[in-house]
Amino acid sequence: MGEEFYEDPRVVEFAAHMEILRDKGINKCARIADFELMEIYNIAPSIVVLDVEGRPVRYRIRFAGTFVVGIYGSETTGLFLDDLNLGSNKQKLIDIYDQLLKSRRPQWTRTLIVKDKPVNANQSGQQVFAYQRLSYPLVDEDDTIQRIVSIIAHQPASGLTVPFESRELN
């Protein structure tokens, strides 16, 4: 799978790996048991694994790679996604995960994040950054989506003309 809108080689590598797992999975979803972070260790710093919890659904960060932690500015593992400062597109980013749960299909997103306040004392002023995210559902043996795995690839914010876009993949 090499979609033309994937702009980062890490996203292409991640997509290829996840498509292999989908083919081995249940109903075109990769199984949690088949996903091994060490199989993609070279891109693991850009990976985020979320647990899908509760009703209403919330997304808890099970794993955030060092690159992702660096973008955010502090450790996020164990936190809920809706508690993070993700700027004005935060709800749209969460809505994409909700859509993934409904459709059971991978979701690609490109977004501009503008944080109006620093995450921690080591940062100052407004922060602006852009990234593309590719997300896949992971199912348990009962074919229930229990986790979502994503890759986050940083992009220069200056080149982004649309502040948010998303596509559902086959």
Side-chain angles (χ1 to χ4, degrees):
M1 179 179 211
E3 301 291 344
E4 72 282 357
F5 48 86
Y6 295 169
E7 297 173 352
D8 189 290
R10 293 171 295 183
V11 175
V12 174
E13 180 179 345
F14 176 71
H17 179 75
M18 293 306 298
E19 288 301 313
I20 290 168
L21 296 183
R22 280 180 80 195
D23 289 342
K24 294 182 358 181
I26 302 169
N27 294 324
K28 289 296 281 178
C29 286
R31 296 181 315 158
I32 292 170
D34 291 335
F35 179 76
E36 282 290 332
L37 199 52
M38 289 310 296
E39 290 180 0
I40 52 173
Y41 67 89
N42 57 318
I43 59 173
S46 299
I47 299 293
V48 175
V49 180
L50 302 174
D51 288 331
V52 178
E53 297 185 1
R55 296 276 181 253
V57 170
R58 291 181 77 196
Y59 305 100
R60 183 185 300 270
I61 301 169
R62 171 178 281 270
F63 171 83
T66 55
F67 174 76
V68 177
V69 170
I71 287 177
Y72 188 70
S74 67
E75 182 58 63
T76 57
T77 300
L79 301 177
F80 283 101
L81 197 60
D82 56 346
D83 289 335
L84 298 180
N85 176 9
L86 297 175
S88 61
N89 287 327
K90 175 175 157 176
Q91 190 55 55
K92 288 180 184 177
L93 291 165
I94 292 171
D95 290 347
I96 296 300
Y97 285 133
D98 293 342
Q99 177 60 31
L100 180 146
L101 291 182
K102 290 177 189 154
S103 71
R104 302 173 60 87
R105 294 164 71 180
Q107 304 286 328
W108 175 86
T109 306
R110 180 172 33 214
T111 188
L112 180 68
I113 302 290
V114 179
K115 293 195 273 186
D116 54 354
K117 59 185 178 197
V119 174
N120 62 44
N122 297 330
Q123 299 169 330
S124 62
Q126 188 180 58
Q127 294 178 292
V128 178
F129 60 93
Y131 66 80
Q132 61 177 309
R133 175 182 82 185
L134 179 59
S135 303
Y136 283 81
L138 296 174
V139 297
D140 62 13
E141 294 303 321
D142 294 327
D143 194 27
T144 301
I145 298 172
Q146 296 290 335
R147 293 195 185 133
I148 297 171
V149 61
S150 302
I151 188 161
I152 307 293
H154 184 264
Q155 295 185 267
S158 60
L160 194 61
T161 56
V162 178
F164 187 88
E165 64 180 310
S166 183
R167 297 181 190 186
E168 184 170 87
L169 308 178
N170 288 323

